[in-house]
Amino acid sequence: MTVNDDSFTNWKTREEIAESMIPLIGKLHRERDVTVLLHSRSLVNKSVVSILKTHRFARQIAGAELSVTETMPFLKALTALDLGPSQIDLGMLATMHKADERGLSVEQFTAEAVAGATGADKIERREPRDVVLYGFGRIGRLVARLLIEKAGSGNGLRLRAIVVRGGGAQDIVKRASLLRRDSIHGQFQGTITVDEDSSTIVANGNEIKVIYADDPSHVDYTEYGIRDAILIDNTGKWRDREGLSTHLRPGIEKVVLTAPGKGDVPNIVHGVNHDTIKPDEQILSCASCTTNAIVPPLKAMDDEYGVLRGHVETVHSFTNDQNLLDNYHKSERRGRSAPLNMVITETGAASAVAKALPDLKAKISGSSIRVPVPDVSIAILNLQLARETTREEVHDYLREVSLTSPLKRQIDFTTAPDAVSSDFIGSRHASIVDAGALKVDGDNAILYLWYDNEFGYSCQVVRVVQHVSGVEYPTYPATAV
């Protein structure tokens, strides 16, 4: 047998194991509301090849691929436990078990590592929480995809309605088509049907009412059987407390804005300050995509090194508020053709840092350039630190933060030497540290942070909604058993 034959046989064996993992992962998700992760990446509803590629990601962690032969025993051990709603990371289980010197079996170690999700300690499954989308643009449709994806267990969040302005003929059909196919993010994973008579979109069995209204005050959500819902405003039309309060109609309990809030509206970056949300707070903002990209790594750097001052320059993909061709625009430069030009513009991300990180004393300035790509941006974070360090130290620190810290869902890390923007379409992290571009000179550090300003931001929005709705389940194992 040749080396190539050996490699092929090994691949087929791993394919077979990955294939056998799918029903176990699905059953844990459907029956127990358990999301199986691999180094913070969900394995739920993933194909055989996707599962194998996710295992291969471990090369960035230990320099070697994590094999399904290593993680499968831990998955089998999980199926034998009385688990409650939770997120369980197979990659962390395998890594920590390998480092553990007590000689515990896989079954013993797994039971100990996830003890908080079993028996009397486990969280009880909650009734679904109603969610309403106000607006159905780029962010609205991606949030809809995520909510539908996460409804697989029948618990958690349930998208009940979408509110849009009245359109012309076949309005609902066209909106469903935009949900079904996306030029950047690809096909919707599942099936979508439309009932025009009842103004309903059915996506993977989820019945979503399409409500036509020109103003929030025109809607009584209880007429549609909606109760205590969280409304996500992705129009950006109202940004202060007075304007957003108009959404607090019958059936709506809380309002979440997918744009920077003004005045006393809390700006929340999940992973950084989501635990400051007061239980009785009815109105909050998820800040901007750029704020979500820079605040987690900024916090990480301040925690370890201290930050005295900084500047962020964002090279941002163009958006719908720019013109396709030169035309009138209330902003001078944004009226120039978006797909043909680099456009200097402003960003509120730097000033928004103070709301998300009030303890940060450093002054952070910022500016932005819109460039002719449709998605994925990069933030260049130039920091003066409170102490000198080395590139190797910062590199290893940020890699560890991306793997084991409370910010691991927000910060990703790539060592790919040829990484470019399109590689990060569909990333679920708020930002991705480009290790190859990192620069450190004494007390100066320059971080290059990729971010999918559409999908990664939408994931952050859903995390905030999960938190305020009480369906943000704990992750196991902790960094130490």
Side-chain angles (χ1 to χ4, degrees), residues 102-393:
R102 293 174 294 166
L104 299 178
S105 68
V106 167
E107 291 75 17
Q108 290 171 325
F109 183 85
T110 301
E112 179 180 312
V114 303
T118 61
D121 294 326
K122 70 182 181 182
I123 297 172
E124 293 301 319
R125 299 179 75 177
R126 297 181 174 90
E127 288 298 312
R129 184 69 176 268
D130 290 351
V131 178
V132 173
L133 290 177
Y134 199 97
F136 204 48
R138 299 297 302 155
I139 299 303
R141 292 194 296 273
L142 291 177
V143 169
R145 285 189 175 200
L146 286 164
L147 292 172
I148 293 163
E149 171 192 300
K150 294 178 181 298
S153 64
N155 291 271
L157 304 174
R158 182 173 58 175
L159 178 57
R160 295 293 309 280
I162 297 162
V163 184
V164 293
R165 287 182 301 219
Q170 292 196 307
D171 179 89
I172 190 172
V173 173
K174 293 175 181 177
R175 295 185 188 276
S177 184
L178 286 169
L179 178 63
R180 184 182 292 114
R181 286 178 287 271
D182 190 282
S183 300
I184 296 170
H185 301 283
Q187 297 277 344
F188 173 80
Q189 296 301 304
T191 63
I192 294 175
T193 58
V194 175
D195 186 335
E196 291 188 76
D197 292 336
S198 64
S199 193
T200 302
I201 296 173
V202 182
N204 290 357
N206 295 267
E207 294 188 2
I208 306 162
K209 189 74 175 178
V210 178
I211 301 170
Y212 293 98
D214 294 327
D215 186 88
S217 62
H218 298 164
V219 189
D220 180 343
Y221 294 94
T222 60
E223 294 179 358
Y224 304 94
I226 296 170
R227 300 284 188 279
D228 302 322
I230 298 173
L231 182 144
I232 304 173
D233 182 332
N234 56 89
T235 67
K237 183 177 180 180
W238 303 276
R239 306 254 306 264
D240 59 12
R241 186 172 295 275
E242 181 182 0
L244 292 168
S245 293
T246 59
H247 287 303
L248 294 174
R249 301 283 299 152
I252 302 299
E253 183 182 10
K254 294 180 184 292
V255 179
V256 175
L257 171 66
T258 64
K262 295 182 178 181
D264 67 342
V265 175
N267 279 252
I268 303 300
V269 175
H270 190 275
V272 175
N273 67 338
H274 66 276
D275 56 355
T276 65
I277 302 173
K278 298 175 181 178
D280 60 349
E281 178 61 76
Q282 288 188 287
I283 295 172
L284 53 94
S285 156
C286 290
S288 71
C289 56
T290 301
T291 303
N292 276 263
I294 66 173
V295 164
L298 184 56
K299 173 177 168 48
M301 292 297 289
D302 188 51
D303 286 347
E304 181 66 17
Y305 302 102
V307 174
L308 299 181
R309 65 176 56 88
H311 176 81
V312 60
E313 187 78 34
T314 68
V315 182
H316 199 292
S317 59
F318 63 78
T319 62
N320 268 333
D321 75 335
Q322 294 173 254
N323 288 337
L324 186 63
L325 294 172
D326 289 0
N327 209 341
Y328 173 81
H329 195 289
K330 63 182 181 180
S331 172
E332 287 90 348
R333 301 189 201 239
R334 292 195 190 192
R336 302 299 299 278
S337 173
L340 296 179
N341 295 291
M342 293 190 291
V343 179
I344 298 174
T345 188
E346 70 282 346
T347 176
S351 59
V353 167
K355 276 194 169 185
L357 282 176
D359 294 335
L360 181 72
K361 304 307 179 186
K363 176 178 174 56
I364 306 295
S365 58
S367 52
S368 180
I369 302 172
R370 297 287 179 92
V371 294
V373 294
D375 187 30
V376 179
S377 305
I378 190 167
I380 305 166
L381 192 58
N382 192 331
L383 304 174
Q384 182 185 352
L385 307 177
R387 68 176 175 89
E388 293 193 353
T389 182
T390 64
R391 184 184 186 281
E392 291 72 22
E393 183 186 348

Side-chain angles (χ1 to χ4, degrees), residues 6 10 16 18 82-84 103 137 166 169 179 224 277 296 299 310 315 343 362 372 458 463:
D6 286 339
N10 177 265
E16 185 177 352
D82 179 26
L83 292 169
L179 178 63
Y224 304 94
I277 302 173
K299 173 177 168 48
V315 182
V343 179
S458 296
R463 289 172 189 135

Side-chain angles (χ1 to χ4, degrees), residues 20 60 63 88 91 291-292 297 314 323 351 412 424-425 429 444 475:
S20 65
Q60 295 193 33
I88 300 179
T291 303
N292 276 263
T314 68
N323 288 337
S351 59
D412 202 1
F424 304 104
I425 293 174
H429 289 78
N444 177 242
T475 301

Side-chain angles (χ1 to χ4, degrees), residues 393-405:
E393 183 186 348
V394 175
H395 175 284
D396 292 346
Y397 169 66
L398 290 175
R399 180 179 64 179
E400 193 63 26
V401 165
S402 74
L403 297 172
T404 62
S405 82

